[in-house]
Amino acid sequence: MESQSDQKKEATIIDGKVIAQTIRSEIASEVRHLSDKYGKVPGLAVVIVGTRKDSQSYVSMKRKACAEVGIKSFDVDLPEQVPEAELISKVHELNADPDVHASKFTGSSTSVSYLLVFEVIIQWVSFMQGCLELLSRSGISIKGKKAVVVGRSNIVGLPISLLLLKADATVTVVHSHTHDPESIIREADIIIAAAGQAMMIKGSWIKPGAAIIDVGTNAVDDPSKKAGYRLVGDVDFKEACKVAGWITPVPGGVGPMTVAMLLKNTLEGAKRAIKQ
Amino acid sequence: MESQSDQKKEATIIDGKVIAQTIRSEIASEVRHLSDKYGKVPGLAVVIVGTRKDSQSYVSMKRKACAEVGIKSFDVDLPEQVPEAELISKVHELNADPDVHASKFTGSSTSVSYLLVFEVIIQWVSFMQGCLELLSRSGISIKGKKAVVVGRSNIVGLPISLLLLKADATVTVVHSHTHDPESIIREADIIIAAAGQAMMIKGSWIKPGAAIIDVGTNAVDDPSKKAGYRLVGDVDFKEACKVAGWITPVPGGVGPMTVAMLLKNTLEGAKRAIKQ
């Protein structure tokens, strides 16, 4: 991995938007194939309760993404005050629909909180898969590599360290109580930055040629922006570019992958169901 | 931690039997206190199905351990061919008994396989707690230390690495695909050996003064023994003794702690129930 830095090249930017677009094109082609061969397409149920603006825009992004690749989205809009029983009955209806292959809910104990947990898990699995997909799509193998995960949160640091371990990396997790984190990070072939600290990982902490996945999304004051802030990762991107072999930008790295991986999971679910 | 090796002392043996005995004495004293103050003692239900010799001796060990510390054991012996419904009804009966504080089973979906899973989890939690208790009882703090877990099994390597991480160690997991594991292990203040490979960790792999918990239990041929084999750990004990600061023997290290921690969990359950 060190050949890049020997040549004093800048790091290759791992462009999440471009990779996500590639994945979507592949999905579109597979969906066309399923449609031609079996006369069926994958279906994703999208249920939205209420009119919160952020939920609405997130869901409309999902629906657009589905349409783009030929996945049929089953849109259900319910008012904020929908009775829980009605919501549950709607979900059971979707669940029973053989054309829906993702966001399906099961279990007699279904309740709204259970649904929310389920939805969060689906998002979260897609997000984690996105991180690893960015590495593999950039031609970076994980097996036998030294990976250092910075941060040990239950929702990012811990699960990604387990995924890396399953992919045969030698994994170290560093955190706020780690002595001399720099020296440990400096040994990593792969750095996953998930500390939630703006630009904390400096260029001098990085092994020449290392691959960096920056999961951080931190808002820092920036009066030059209309919003008064800009988003930065956990890595000092400018410095890191001079040392690393590969790096994801923030934004535009891990973020765009989540929806692409959700679509991919929907496709895989449909393939299993259709080919049965 | 290095002062010990500077003085060329042998490693301190972390004696699981002695520590387990200390814990049992403490439990006995707490049980007497509960009995004096509230007129109640902790209760542990022990259900055994069939007459397998290893189950029988394991259970009789548990019952003896309960008696020794004053915990009341509720013994239920059922024949190998007990109908599932009868076993489940028995368990519900124990579950409803306010004097039983551990090995309680809940849930309307109770089935035999569920019971077995539950029993395995209880054993497993006690085992994991035992490993960490051996460190704390030996005066070894975990916070901020470099811990290396050798082995990444779902039942030992992974959970213990998560426990160490929660205890603020900087944790690295090494395994069969790790390049140059020696150099990584050599940096560890705390080594958890859980690879299942007889005596694979050599003296030269160990940082002077390190603490070693050897979870391995491997049978190696030994014609001098009546059984034709003896048990050894994942660490070359003789070599390690000359370098390490602390080390658990095999057998007599982690093993004896499991029952002691099970008793302790029963006591804690009883304290919560009684003091409510």
Side-chain angles (χ1 to χ4, degrees):
Chain A
M1 282 202 185
E2 301 198 8
S3 62
Q4 299 231 1
S5 75
D6 294 340
Q7 298 161 39
K8 298 282 176 211
K9 280 207 295 191
E10 288 264 307
T12 301
I13 307 297
I14 301 178
D15 189 326
K17 279 189 204 162
V18 169
I19 293 175
Q21 190 49 53
T22 304
I23 293 170
R24 287 176 193 203
S25 303
E26 293 169 2
I27 293 170
S29 147
E30 283 209 63
V31 169
R32 273 194 305 276
H33 173 77
L34 283 176
S35 174
D36 291 350
K37 189 161 176 191
Y38 300 96
K40 287 181 179 173
V41 296
L44 175 72
V46 180
V47 181
I48 181 163
V49 177
T51 52
R52 270 186 56 152
K53 213 178 152 193
D54 51 354
S55 307
Q56 289 283 0
S57 68
Y58 175 69
V59 164
S60 91
M61 179 181 67
K62 261 197 210 169
R63 287 171 183 169
K64 219 180 115 208
C66 282
E68 187 200 302
V69 299
I71 289 179
K72 190 173 173 190
S73 66
F74 294 75
D75 305 345
V76 181
D77 288 284
L78 296 171
E80 187 82 46
Q81 273 77 34
V82 61
E84 181 161 328
E86 193 177 313
L87 172 55
I88 290 167
S89 125
K90 190 70 218 169
V91 168
H92 280 300
E93 193 183 302
L94 290 166
N95 195 22
D97 187 334
D99 293 334
V100 175
H101 304 107
S103 290
K104 300 186 79 168
F105 309 101
T106 53
S108 57
S109 64
T110 312
S111 74
V112 171
S113 59
Y114 177 81
L115 288 186
L116 289 175
V117 167
F118 201 85
E119 166 66 9
V120 167
I121 290 174
I122 288 175
Q123 288 302 324
W124 175 80
V125 167
S126 302
F127 178 78
M128 292 296 151
Q129 290 173 324
C131 293
L132 265 59
E133 190 85 8
L134 285 175
L135 290 172
S136 66
R137 295 264 171 175
S138 304
I140 299 157
S141 70
I142 297 172
K143 188 171 179 169
K145 296 281 170 64
K146 276 192 183 176
V148 170
V149 177
V150 185
R152 55 172 167 173
S153 68
N154 287 333
I155 56 159
V156 183
L158 287 187
I160 207 140
S161 62
L162 293 177
L163 283 179
L164 288 164
L165 201 51
K166 292 285 175 206
D168 293 332
T170 298
V171 180
T172 302
V173 181
V174 306
H175 48 79
S176 53
H177 290 287
T178 297
H179 292 309
D180 194 14
E182 299 93 304
S183 72
I184 296 170
I185 294 167
R186 210 175 287 124
E187 297 207 350
D189 302 309
I190 297 168
I191 298 169
I192 310 286
Q197 301 257 349
M199 302 192 281
M200 69 165 277
I201 298 176
K202 303 296 172 192
S204 62
W205 300 19
I206 297 163
K207 178 176 167 177
I212 304 174
I213 303 292
D214 191 347
V215 178
T217 312
N218 312 286
V220 294
D221 289 343
D222 185 346
S224 77
K225 302 274 173 189
K226 209 169 116 189
Y229 68 87
R230 67 180 205 283
L231 294 179
V232 299
D234 290 352
V235 178
D236 189 317
F237 186 76
K238 258 195 191 171
E239 286 187 15
C241 274
K242 294 178 193 151
V243 191
W246 294 265
I247 186 166
T248 58
V250 175
V254 173
M257 293 294 288
T258 303
V259 171
M261 298 310 287
L262 175 66
L263 296 175
K264 193 170 177 178
N265 289 336
T266 306
L267 170 66
E268 297 303 325
K271 279 159 73 178
R272 281 192 298 273
I274 291 170
K275 291 182 180 173
Q276 251 175 18
Chain B
M1 282 202 187
E2 301 198 8
S3 62
Q4 298 231 1
S5 75
D6 293 342
Q7 299 161 40
K8 300 282 176 209
K9 277 207 295 192
E10 288 264 307
T12 301
I13 307 297
I14 301 178
D15 190 327
K17 279 188 204 164
V18 169
I19 293 174
Q21 189 50 52
T22 305
I23 293 170
R24 288 177 193 203
S25 303
E26 292 169 4
I27 294 170
S29 148
E30 283 209 62
V31 170
R32 273 194 304 276
H33 173 76
L34 282 178
S35 173
D36 290 350
K37 187 160 177 193
Y38 300 96
K40 286 182 182 172
V41 296
L44 175 71
V46 179
V47 181
I48 181 164
V49 177
T51 51
R52 271 187 54 152
K53 214 178 151 192
D54 52 352
S55 308
Q56 290 283 0
S57 68
Y58 176 68
V59 165
S60 90
M61 179 179 69
K62 261 196 209 169
R63 287 173 182 166
K64 220 180 116 207
C66 281
E68 188 199 302
V69 299
I71 288 178
K72 190 173 173 189
S73 67
F74 294 76
D75 304 345
V76 181
D77 287 284
L78 297 171
E80 187 81 46
Q81 273 76 34
V82 61
E84 181 160 328
E86 194 176 312
L87 172 55
I88 290 168
S89 125
K90 190 71 218 171
V91 168
H92 280 300
E93 193 183 303
L94 289 166
N95 195 21
D97 187 335
D99 293 333
V100 175
H101 304 106
S103 291
K104 300 185 81 167
F105 309 100
T106 53
S108 57
S109 65
T110 311
S111 74
V112 171
S113 60
Y114 177 81
L115 290 185
L116 289 175
V117 168
F118 200 85
E119 166 66 10
V120 167
I121 290 174
I122 289 176
Q123 288 302 326
W124 175 79
V125 168
S126 302
F127 177 80
M128 292 295 150
Q129 290 174 325
C131 292
L132 265 59
E133 189 85 9
L134 285 175
L135 290 172
S136 66
R137 295 264 172 176
S138 304
I140 300 156
S141 70
I142 297 172
K143 188 171 180 170
K145 296 281 170 66
K146 277 192 183 175
V148 170
V149 177
V150 185
R152 55 172 168 173
S153 69
N154 287 333
I155 56 160
V156 183
L158 287 186
I160 207 139
S161 62
L162 294 177
L163 283 178
L164 288 164
L165 201 52
K166 292 283 174 206
D168 293 333
T170 298
V171 180
T172 302
V173 181
V174 305
H175 49 78
S176 53
H177 289 287
T178 297
H179 292 311
D180 194 13
E182 299 93 305
S183 71
I184 296 171
I185 295 168
R186 210 174 287 122
E187 297 207 349
D189 302 309
I190 297 168
I191 298 169
I192 311 285
Q197 300 257 350
M199 300 193 282
M200 69 165 277
I201 298 176
K202 304 297 172 192
S204 61
W205 299 19
I206 298 163
K207 178 176 168 177
I212 304 174
I213 303 292
D214 191 347
V215 178
T217 313
N218 312 286
V220 293
D221 290 342
D222 185 345
S224 78
K225 300 277 175 188
K226 211 169 113 191
Y229 69 86
R230 68 180 205 283
L231 295 179
V232 299
D234 290 352
V235 178
D236 188 317
F237 186 77
K238 258 194 189 170
E239 286 187 17
C241 274
K242 294 177 192 151
V243 191
W246 293 266
I247 186 167
T248 58
V250 176
V254 173
M257 293 294 287
T258 304
V259 171
M261 297 310 287
L262 175 67
L263 296 176
K264 192 169 177 180
N265 288 338
T266 306
L267 170 66
E268 297 305 324
K271 279 159 73 177
R272 280 192 299 274
I274 291 171
K275 291 180 179 172
Q276 252 176 18

